[in-house]
Amino acid sequence: MLWVMVVFPPALDFRVAVLPHHFKLAMAEHCIKSNPDIAGIGVRTNFYATIFLIALIPENEHTAELMNRLYENSVFYGLALVMTAVIQTLQEELDLYHAIFVMQIIFSLNFVYEYGMRKFMRVSSSGSTESRRGKFRMGFIIAIQMFTTVVFTIWLLYVWIKDSHFGSQPECNHLVKYVFFFVDVRATATWLRVLFILYLVFFTCTLLFRFGLIVFACMDGRRKPRDVIPRAVQGNAREKTVYTYLVVVLLVGSAIFGVTILELIVQRNRINIQTEPGEGVWGFGQIISLILILGCVIDIVVTIREWYRQSQNTADMSPE
């Protein structure tokens, strides 16, 4: 009997020690709280639709209004996403995974913002009354874009400086994965943090410098619409065509790469997200994102309708 009393307690202690360990591992699989207002399917649908439409739709007189609406949608979408991230950070409700999600979307919208700067150059170069109205509108949108860039930069620097200690759930940060050129890496890796800080500083300085050049050049009245195309390809029609195709390939490739990386990040971290209530909850953030893209869908229908009517009128006026 004494032998049983001596042997049994260690066995009992072993069972008690093992159970909490397995329980802890099970809990770690769903460590991160869901945040559908940041990473919900409605938010991602808005981003995917905007980035692919701007990459695929050709820029001409028929699509000018549609491209403007898509650009404005992306600017307001980016502003709303960044402000939501900042507010949730101040309220200690944002975790590292969803901060990386916001970062990836804003980085992917870079080429969309480039369209806005080129458009502002063209509008500012014209002296018509309609162009002056368009210049004021585009200037206002550009100002919002600059504000978003500055706020985003300050916020993201804070995120990467804090790194493993950032957010509402720092104990879960070691589980967060980032996809670096299709390779999974820990988001808390020191080299990744340093790389992002350096890239962020370079990206922001370059973008703000570009803003400054455009604004001052347009105010000085020295830039012309033809300067949007590099001087090396302004004179030759064939070179212009090659340049246009290269731009389209670059835009489509950037869109595909951005969307693919974002979806891979979602898939790699899905096991860490709590299933209740989950990222699929349809709240205000999800619904408003889809409503914003609805306006662009209406513009697409109007653009196709106007193009068809003009084609019919041209066909009727052509000699038989």
Side-chain angles (χ1 to χ4, degrees):
M1 188 67 178
L2 181 60
W3 178 80
V4 174
M5 292 179 63
V6 172
V7 176
F8 185 73
L12 180 61
D13 290 342
F14 173 77
R15 294 171 183 240
V16 172
V18 168
L19 286 177
H21 177 68
H22 286 293
F23 181 72
K24 185 177 181 179
L25 289 177
M27 291 296 292
E29 291 185 352
H30 301 290
C31 183
I32 302 173
K33 293 181 180 178
S34 59
N35 193 341
D37 288 339
I38 293 289
I41 186 63
V43 178
R44 304 208 309 267
T45 300
N46 186 311
F47 166 66
Y48 298 155
T50 301
I51 197 172
F52 275 119
L53 286 173
I54 289 185
L56 292 171
I57 294 177
E59 188 178 348
N60 53 47
E61 66 275 8
H62 301 294
T63 62
E65 191 68 23
L66 172 60
M67 295 292 287
N68 290 344
R69 292 293 174 267
L70 288 170
Y71 166 67
E72 292 175 9
N73 174 72
S74 69
V75 171
F76 290 125
Y77 172 81
L79 175 64
L81 196 60
V82 169
M83 294 308 298
T84 300
V86 171
I87 292 172
Q88 290 192 5
T89 300
L90 293 175
Q91 295 175 344
E92 298 183 352
E93 296 179 355
L94 190 70
D95 54 79
L96 181 61
Y97 163 69
H98 289 98
I100 290 176
F101 188 93
V102 174
M103 176 196 73
Q104 192 63 35
I105 286 183
I106 299 301
F107 280 167
S108 300
L109 288 174
N110 284 347
F111 78 87
V112 179
Y113 294 159
E114 177 67 20
Y115 164 81
M117 291 186 284
R118 291 189 291 110
K119 178 67 176 180
F120 185 71
M121 283 172 47
R122 288 196 297 269
V123 172
S124 300
S125 301
S126 178
S128 64
T129 303
E130 183 177 356
S131 295
R132 285 197 296 269
R133 293 171 184 165
K135 178 181 177 180
F136 176 79
R137 182 183 181 89
M138 287 299 298
F140 184 74
I141 301 299
I142 289 287
I144 295 176
Q145 181 180 330
M146 290 182 66
F147 172 77
T148 303
T149 300
V150 173
V151 173
F152 171 72
T153 302
I154 297 173
W155 169 78
L156 194 56
L157 278 175
Y158 172 78
V159 171
W160 286 116
I161 290 172
K162 297 282 288 185
D163 196 28
S164 60
H165 303 290
F166 171 80
S168 58
Q169 298 174 282
E171 69 278 4
C172 301
N173 289 349
H174 68 284
L175 299 172
V176 179
K177 296 182 179 65
Y178 182 75
V179 179
F180 186 77
F181 287 98
F182 306 102
V183 178
D184 295 357
V185 296
R186 285 189 305 108
T188 55
T190 302
W191 67 268
L192 186 67
R193 175 176 58 172
V194 173
L195 181 65
F196 272 127
I197 291 176
L198 292 176
Y199 174 76
L200 183 63
V201 172
F202 173 78
F203 153 76
T204 304
C205 292
T206 302
L207 194 59
L208 292 179
F209 179 72
R210 181 97 165 99
F211 281 146
L213 285 180
I214 290 175
V215 171
F216 284 115
C218 291
M219 290 177 61
D220 199 37
R222 290 178 297 188
R223 291 188 69 92
K224 303 299 180 184
R226 66 195 299 264
D227 289 339
V228 173
I229 300 177
R231 293 183 180 276
V233 296
Q234 284 179 1
N236 190 295
R238 180 181 177 183
E239 291 178 346
K240 286 182 181 180
T241 303
V242 173
Y243 174 79
T244 301
Y245 280 121
L246 287 176
V247 170
V248 171
V249 171
L250 180 62
L251 292 179
V252 174
S254 299
I256 293 174
F257 179 78
V259 170
T260 302
I261 293 297
L262 187 64
E263 277 302 305
L264 286 175
I265 291 174
V266 172
Q267 295 300 322
R268 298 296 190 271
N269 291 278
R270 189 179 300 277
I271 191 174
N272 301 322
I273 307 299
Q274 294 180 4
T275 56
E276 294 296 335
E279 305 274 57
V281 175
W282 285 92
F284 178 78
Q286 301 262 48
I287 295 172
I288 195 65
S289 296
L290 291 181
I291 290 178
L292 283 174
I293 201 64
L294 180 62
C296 297
V297 173
I298 295 174
D299 286 328
I300 292 174
V301 174
V302 172
T303 299
I304 294 175
R305 181 172 177 271
E306 290 298 322
W307 172 81
Y308 178 76
R309 291 180 60 182
Q310 290 186 14
S311 299
Q312 289 294 108
N313 292 338
T314 303
D316 293 340
M317 294 176 61
S318 61
E320 297 182 0

